[in-house]
Amino acid sequence: MIVFTFPGQGSQKPGMGAPWVGHPSWELVGEASAAVGRDIEHLLLEAPADELTETRNAQAATFVLSLVVLDAIERLGVEPAAVAGHSLGEYTALVAAGALAFEEGATLVAERGEAMQAAGRERAGGMAAVLGLDDDAVEVACARVDGDVWVANYNAPGQVVVAGSPEAIDDLAALAKEAGAKKVLPVPVSGAFHTPFMAPARERLRKALAATDVRDPELPTYANVDAAPHTDAREWLGLLGAQLCSPVRWRQTLHRLHDDGFGTYVEVGPGTVLTGLAKRTVSGARVLSVSTPADLDRLLEALAAPPAGAVGAHEGEHLFATERLVVSPAAGLFSPAGGLDPGLRLEPGDVLGTVGDHEVRSPFSGVVMGVLAVDGERVTASQPIAWLRTS
């Protein structure tokens, strides 16, 4: 079974949206900008590192680009059996599971980012990654510090993130090294996330959640707070509020997914942080990531191959992984290009026709197996236009 995982703050980097410009899924960037009243395209294409690192910017940019990538994957017909997200990524996962509309998710993420940034200004704090100690040893070190420091992220075996006051983190670092930690590295964030320091942000977020239409997820969605799947909207209202001041139990989530039968982990969004954590945590898992359009082909090729250790393959596995749909970029009347018939070979960027004033271009190469819209048909955005096969 396939689970999609979505990254959190820290995966962003300048210019990370550039590979997606011109892809049909890029239209989500404009929709997000309109929903939150901010120029998300600027963050994804032009913002320098110091601007993009600000909490409100990092969260908005990572959320939107992750959903651009998700939309591109969905256009290929690949769907997960469950979803999970690391911290901010939990909101992306809930959109992917249908619990939040895209615009509602973008609005909540914008409010969350603003609230966390304000809480960081109200009470100075920081975070640090402790490498080479197990969970219990880090917890003991935190307890020995005469100050405010807590475990914030259980990321993977031997990788735990702590958060608290700068002075307490310094003391924790010394105790952790005495206990055998290989390194204690500062995390470039503006607050002590997932600790009691975020209480003011939690109260602000709870008000925003109360005004949001949160629906039951259509897929099991694994929560940071307890590493368990939840499909009840009422539970998610409480879980999202609690998440800001509770540790992210990502290692435990990966183990629970493994115990529940998931063998393929696909990181959807910028960076490969979660890919590395899954490789360290889940033995024998197939771990993949999609952050650029070039990764789409690699994803399909990987899914077409049987997992390591599998005996044989089910009929149709390879057919499924090599079939792709070209969808409409907008709503309107479809007019096919000349010669758009079964057997036609297409390359990325080739025009299949128009929908109103919009050209329908293929984002990938393949042979036309069938045309799914007729001349003059009124189609909707993302409606399939043609069916291709890559081999």
Side-chain angles (χ1 to χ4, degrees):
M1 294 193 294
I2 300 172
V3 58
F4 283 179
T5 63
F6 299 92
Q9 186 174 344
S11 292
Q12 75 281 349
K13 65 178 182 179
M16 62 185 179
W20 292 98
V21 175
H23 190 282
S25 299
W26 186 252
E27 65 187 7
L28 291 180
V29 177
E31 295 176 14
S33 297
V36 301
R38 298 188 60 201
D39 188 352
I40 305 299
E41 183 170 295
H42 165 75
L43 295 177
L44 292 174
L45 299 178
E46 302 167 358
D50 56 348
E51 180 182 358
L52 194 59
T53 301
E54 291 182 23
T55 298
R56 64 192 292 268
N57 296 334
Q59 295 194 15
T62 301
F63 170 83
V64 172
L65 187 59
S66 295
L67 287 171
V68 167
V69 178
L70 174 67
D71 185 75
I73 294 174
E74 289 177 338
R75 290 170 186 259
L76 303 181
V78 179
E79 297 181 354
V83 292
H86 190 288
S87 189
L88 160 72
E90 199 160 76
Y91 290 78
T92 324
L94 287 168
V95 173
L100 292 170
F102 173 69
E103 294 81 2
E104 292 173 329
T107 301
L108 271 178
V109 166
E111 180 68 4
R112 180 182 188 267
E114 296 282 1
M116 292 174 70
Q117 188 160 317
R121 289 194 299 265
E122 184 174 325
R123 190 166 187 185
M127 304 180 77
V130 181
L131 307 181
L133 282 187
D134 63 27
D135 297 352
D136 289 344
V138 178
E139 290 171 356
V140 168
C142 288
R144 290 181 59 195
V145 172
D146 185 18
D148 294 327
V149 63
W150 303 269
V151 172
N153 302 161
Y154 296 94
N155 278 341
Q159 185 182 131
V160 178
V161 175
V162 299
S165 71
E167 300 80 12
I169 290 176
D170 288 342
D171 293 342
L172 178 283
L175 289 172
K177 289 175 181 176
E178 288 178 9
K182 295 178 181 178
K183 292 182 181 179
V184 180
L185 303 174
V187 177
V189 294
S190 59
F193 302 153
H194 301 291
T195 75
F197 279 24
M198 288 291 111
R202 179 177 58 187
E203 296 308 313
R204 183 171 165 179
L205 179 62
R206 281 175 172 168
K207 292 179 181 178
L209 286 167
T212 302
D213 179 20
V214 180
R215 297 172 289 281
D216 292 344
E218 298 170 4
L219 298 171
T221 306
Y222 286 69
N224 290 176
V225 171
D226 61 1
H230 296 270
T231 55
D232 188 310
R234 292 168 297 179
E235 292 180 1
W236 274 108
L237 288 171
L239 289 165
L240 290 173
Q243 186 224 59
L244 281 184
C245 296
S246 301
V248 174
R249 300 183 184 277
W250 193 250
R251 177 186 60 76
Q252 295 90 332
T253 297
L254 292 172
H255 283 309
R256 176 63 185 270
L257 284 163
H258 180 265
D259 291 344
D260 289 349
F262 290 90
T264 299
Y265 299 74
V266 181
E267 181 175 4
V268 178
T272 57
V273 171
L274 301 186
T275 301
L277 297 180
K279 287 179 178 178
R280 293 181 58 181
T281 305
V282 188
S283 177
R286 177 162 55 180
V287 182
L288 310 166
S289 64
V290 181
S291 60
T292 70
D295 295 327
L296 295 171
D297 283 336
R298 286 191 282 269
L299 172 67
L300 290 177
E301 291 168 1
L303 294 180
V311 178
H314 296 294
E315 185 70 26
E317 276 186 359
H318 297 281
L319 176 66
F320 165 77
T322 55
E323 291 180 347
R324 309 182 190 186
L325 293 176
V326 179
V327 301
S328 172
L333 298 179
F334 174 63
S335 177
L340 182 61
D341 297 306
L344 176 67
R345 176 76 188 184
L346 294 175
E347 299 298 333
D350 285 354
V351 177
L352 285 73
T354 58
V355 173
D357 295 331
H358 299 269
E359 290 184 329
V360 181
R361 292 181 177 271
S362 177
F364 31 67
S365 61
V367 176
V368 176
M369 304 303 295
V371 181
L372 306 177
V374 300
D375 190 5
E377 178 181 352
R378 180 170 292 280
V379 298
T380 60
S382 299
Q383 179 174 330
I385 297 296
W387 161 37
L388 309 186
R389 185 170 294 169
T390 60
S391 62

